[in-house]
Amino acid sequence: LQHHSIKAEIRLLKAKWDFPANLERETLFIPLNQQCFIREIAFYHGNKPLLAARTVIPFTTLVGGNRRLMHLGNVPLSTILFTDPFVRR
């Protein structure tokens, strides 16, 4: 969105421990009974939604600097992934 000079606001829709969808679980090799940290956001231009995004973070990923991923609020995930030296991709 920045590439196209669109001013967008991120709105946090959900950030909590929950069970991933079956396809997410299978793709990420998450055990059937394991909850993950799930974050859902939407990009808005004014009151118009432009894009929705969902991030599924397995429990085993949330160690060390990666724990910060649970406390992003309205900060874009990419800001942390590509600028924070303590977060591993």
Side-chain angles (χ1 to χ4, degrees):
L1 295 173
Q2 286 178 338
H3 177 72
H4 296 288
S5 300
I6 296 174
K7 291 241 181 214
E9 170 192 357
I10 293 179
R11 295 185 191 171
L12 181 64
L13 306 175
K14 173 182 179 179
K16 67 176 191 171
W17 289 96
D18 204 348
F19 291 100
N22 286 335
L23 181 59
E24 294 167 335
R25 185 180 48 74
E26 292 168 4
T27 302
L28 297 171
F29 305 104
I30 298 168
L32 187 59
N33 61 345
Q34 182 180 315
Q35 289 190 337
C36 296
F37 189 77
I38 297 177
R39 179 176 184 252
E40 295 178 354
I41 56 109
F43 288 90
Y44 277 80
H45 179 64
N47 286 328
K48 181 180 179 184
L50 301 175
L51 176 73
R54 178 176 165 98
T55 304
V56 177
I57 307 172
F59 174 77
T60 54
T61 300
L62 295 169
V63 295
N66 286 348
R67 288 187 201 140
R68 295 179 195 163
L69 298 175
M70 294 187 298
H71 307 286
L72 293 176
N74 292 332
V75 174
L77 178 61
S78 62
T79 298
I80 302 300
L81 289 179
F82 298 110
T83 62
D84 189 327
F86 298 104
V87 174
R88 251 185 68 203
R89 285 184 275 152

